[in-house]
Amino acid sequence: MFWMISISSMIMFSYLPIKLAAEKAHQDSWISILLGSMIMMAVTWLILRVCKQNKEKTLVGFMKDLLGTLLGKIIVTVYFLHWFMQMSFLAKGTADFHNLVILHNTPMFVILFCLIVLVAYAVYKGGITAISRCAEIIGPFFVTVLYVQLFLNPQDMDMKRILPVYADSGWFSILEGAFRSFNYMVDPSIILMLFFFAENKQTVSRAILWGTAVAMGWGVLATLVVLFVTGPNLAAEMVYPVYSMTKFVSILNFVQNIDAFYIPLWIFGAFIKVSVCLFILSYGLSEWTGFKNWKLIGCIIAVIWLAFVIYSPHNIRISNTLKNMLLIGFFYPVVYIGIPLILWIIGSIKKHRRA
């Protein structure tokens, strides 16, 4: 669980938070990222409280118990939609990344088809066990390389690029940067489904908190490094700021082109993230519909997923869709904070009445 959460969170952090924070808070975007990380740690703690109250059931099961069958099923569909859209965003972003850095002339369909078939195969053959074993193997290399990468270009760093602190931005811009970026740092909603599959609930709670903390710490350091190397104006324009840092690395004109290590690991990390999303969506829909064969549901979702990403008339590019204020200002806060808070309150009241 530690490796799945840390990999999933660091992949999320690689995309958008730094860019969104830099657009609003400029050289103080690292403060926005730090505030956002603290918010997401608190949200993770809240969701773990909900999971511990309902440790013997998945999200679908305890949603029915706490809110009733009809209302519970309706609200669960919000999470299904969220996971499906997140899979689509990540698949599209990963395919764009492939196309940009290594597969320039390869049709987008081929890249997406290979990715989605691989993810569907892993989920169908092994489910959460196969995904977690892959995460255990990939995780140590993934986390180590992403942390080490941040310290390989000290000659390009200028700490004056984050000065003056606070004076130019002010508290409103810093808070706005935090508000825009924290939604994309981590997806704590996956814990609502994954917690059920853990054998030792106490140990897994610590693993989830530590996995989130490792990713959040990396995100704050990555933001500082991006600002030190490029400055706030360029950081706000970069589509993949963390990947761009690998292009600056040059130690004695010998250690260069470390993106050759970064790219495969980044692709492996994206595979873990979308595999987790496909598994919990398949298993959740199996419980929601009463159809026991969740593997078949997973294959059907994979086909729909591929068709949606390729043929959707709506442009789901990172720079446009994910900045939508309806998503940032309403949808994500409700999914991450509002619904878990309501579930925790209802669960606490029921527990108190039983006592």
Side-chain angles (χ1 to χ4, degrees):
M1 190 70 79
F2 171 82
W3 294 117
M4 284 194 293
I5 294 298
S6 58
I7 291 172
S8 298
S9 302
M10 291 171 81
I11 283 294
M12 294 283 289
F13 228 126
S14 299
Y15 269 114
L16 205 60
I18 298 173
K19 176 182 173 67
L20 288 177
E23 286 177 351
K24 293 298 178 183
H26 307 294
Q27 71 268 22
D28 293 319
S29 56
W30 67 274
I31 304 177
S32 298
I33 294 295
L34 181 60
L35 291 174
S37 299
M38 294 168 65
I39 293 171
M40 293 316 292
M41 286 298 297
V43 170
T44 303
W45 178 85
L46 171 64
I47 287 179
L48 282 173
R49 301 299 299 176
V50 175
C51 292
K52 285 182 177 181
Q53 287 178 343
N54 308 275
K55 60 180 71 174
E56 302 302 326
K57 295 178 181 176
T58 63
L59 172 65
V60 179
F62 68 71
M63 195 77 84
K64 290 180 185 178
D65 290 346
L66 297 177
L67 301 177
T69 302
L70 179 60
L71 183 59
K73 280 194 169 187
I74 292 172
I75 294 180
V76 164
T77 57
V78 174
Y79 284 95
F80 292 161
L81 176 64
H82 167 59
W83 294 330
F84 183 81
M85 292 304 297
Q86 197 169 82
M87 286 161 48
S88 302
F89 293 146
L90 284 168
K92 177 64 174 170
T94 304
D96 285 341
F97 182 73
H98 276 63
N99 205 250
L100 177 68
V101 298
I102 50 175
L103 304 173
H104 304 292
N105 298 317
T106 305
M108 193 67 70
F109 171 80
V110 175
I111 301 173
L112 287 168
F113 180 80
C114 292
L115 172 66
I116 292 175
V117 166
L118 178 63
V119 169
Y121 177 78
V123 171
Y124 183 84
K125 292 297 289 184
I128 194 62
T129 305
I131 299 167
S132 62
R133 296 303 182 201
C134 288
E136 278 188 310
I137 295 171
I138 297 165
F141 299 102
F142 181 86
V143 173
T144 302
V145 168
L146 262 65
Y147 263 98
V148 170
Q149 169 217 339
L150 300 178
F151 303 97
L152 291 182
N153 44 2
Q155 71 280 359
D156 296 317
M157 296 184 188
D158 184 358
M159 295 187 181
K160 294 180 181 178
R161 291 192 174 109
I162 67 168
L163 299 177
V165 176
Y166 180 77
D168 286 350
S169 304
W171 65 269
F172 183 78
S173 295
I174 292 173
L175 289 178
E176 190 176 4
F179 177 72
R180 282 175 168 266
S181 61
F182 87 92
N183 300 290
Y184 298 109
M185 293 178 180
V186 60
D187 179 13
S189 66
I190 63 175
I191 302 169
L192 293 167
M193 284 293 293
L194 291 178
F195 194 86
F196 167 76
F197 297 96
E199 291 183 7
N200 189 324
K201 308 300 183 185
Q202 190 62 37
T203 303
V204 83
S205 298
R206 292 196 297 269
I208 290 169
L209 287 172
W210 274 110
T212 306
V214 165
M216 297 301 100
W218 176 82
V220 175
L221 284 174
T223 306
L224 283 168
V225 170
V226 170
L227 292 173
F228 290 158
V229 174
T230 67
N233 295 327
L234 191 55
E237 299 296 327
M238 289 180 175
V239 179
Y240 304 104
V242 179
Y243 167 71
S244 300
M245 291 301 97
T246 63
K247 310 298 287 185
F248 288 91
V249 174
S250 178
I251 301 176
L252 301 176
N253 290 323
F254 179 71
V255 178
Q256 296 176 326
N257 300 322
I258 67 163
D259 52 314
F261 296 96
Y262 178 83
I263 291 170
L265 287 172
W266 195 91
I267 294 169
F268 279 136
F271 161 74
I272 295 296
K273 173 62 179 173
V274 293
S275 297
V276 169
C277 287
L278 180 60
F279 170 76
I280 61 177
L281 182 57
S282 306
Y283 198 91
L285 276 172
S286 173
E287 282 193 299
W288 193 84
T289 58
F291 185 71
K292 300 297 183 183
N293 193 345
W294 62 266
K295 293 185 177 182
L296 178 60
I297 293 176
C299 293
I300 295 171
I301 292 172
V303 174
I304 297 171
W305 177 24
L306 178 63
F308 177 79
V309 175
I310 293 174
Y311 296 110
S312 174
H314 183 57
N315 185 4
I316 58 173
R317 289 184 181 276
I318 292 173
S319 58
N320 297 320
T321 302
L322 299 186
K323 293 182 184 179
N324 188 302
M325 282 307 298
L326 181 63
L327 287 177
I328 294 174
F330 176 75
F331 183 78
Y332 288 124
V334 167
V335 168
Y336 293 156
I337 303 174
I339 296 174
L341 186 60
I342 292 170
L343 294 175
W344 183 43
I345 292 171
I346 294 174
S348 299
I349 293 172
K350 287 194 172 184
K351 183 178 178 181
H352 179 70
R353 284 181 175 176
R354 284 197 299 267

